[in-house]
Amino acid sequence: MTAADPTRTDTEPAPAADRPARGARRSLALALLLGAAGAGLALLASGRTWARGTAVLAQGELPRTVTGTDVTGVPGALAVVGLAALVAVFAVRRTGRVVVAGLLALSGLGIAAAAALGYSDTSALREKAADAVGLSDAGVHHVTHTVWPWVAVAGGLLLLLAGVLALVYGRAWPAMSGRYERTPGGGRGPRRAPAAPDLERPEEIWKSLDRGEDPTR
């Protein structure tokens, strides 16, 4: 018979039993980090300049620029949806969590696709050139694109990864406490009984008598 390990106490959990909990905490922290960073990048990139060009006038050339919001409003809108889904993951359980995690992943995929397609889209730039020139068929020249559409793509991919993590590991993540949830009948849970009065304090005894309670009970 082997001797017990003197350095180990009975209250210490076995290392193998703690691995699933630690894995769940790590995946949760990683999903939160990826989701918040992805939504932040998508929102930031949407407000930056995506393309530049020049509209040709009789007097010369007029520089024009367009932001991500001018090109497409999809990345910014889906970034807000992704943030809401990231928070909602902890408010639901079981099937609801799977559905919300799928919405999170789809939001990231939509951001990446819309930003990639918007990189080469010059329709918004041509529209600004037409407004400057006053002609509906005005052309735009010397078009250049910035890196911000690809920043939005990166943000979308980070949100997508967060959604995949939620789909794979979300069942092991904790949920919001149900202490404030209503009972199935629609009413609130049972109220706690009032604390017994301190018989050594006269004011507590008088308060009990005012409420019609027997302080000696």
Side-chain angles (χ1 to χ4, degrees), residues 6-32:
T7 62
R8 182 182 178 86
T9 63
D10 294 337
T11 59
E12 292 180 356
D18 192 43
R19 288 174 187 170
R22 284 187 296 177
R25 289 194 297 268
R26 289 174 181 173
S27 63
L28 170 59
L30 182 59
L32 285 174

Side-chain angles (χ1 to χ4, degrees), residues 17-83:
D18 192 43
R19 288 174 187 170
R22 284 187 296 177
R25 289 194 297 268
R26 289 174 181 173
S27 63
L28 170 59
L30 182 59
L32 285 174
L33 179 62
L34 292 176
L41 284 177
L43 288 172
L44 176 65
S46 295
R48 302 294 179 174
T49 299
W50 281 25
R52 297 184 177 91
T54 54
V56 179
L57 300 172
Q59 298 82 4
E61 296 181 343
L62 182 64
R64 298 282 87 183
T65 62
V66 289
T67 65
T69 305
D70 296 328
V71 175
T72 172
V74 173
L78 288 182
V80 176
V81 173
L83 278 177

Side-chain angles (χ1 to χ4, degrees), residues 82-141:
L83 278 177
L86 187 64
V87 175
V89 163
F90 305 100
V92 293
R93 297 179 176 89
R94 301 182 181 90
T95 304
R97 178 165 289 182
V98 174
V99 172
V100 174
L103 178 61
L104 177 62
L106 289 176
S107 297
L109 183 61
I111 290 172
L117 292 174
Y119 175 77
S120 58
D121 188 0
T122 59
S123 58
L125 199 56
R126 289 197 304 270
E127 183 178 349
K128 281 203 170 184
D131 292 340
V133 176
L135 299 174
S136 59
D137 59 347
V140 60
H141 305 277

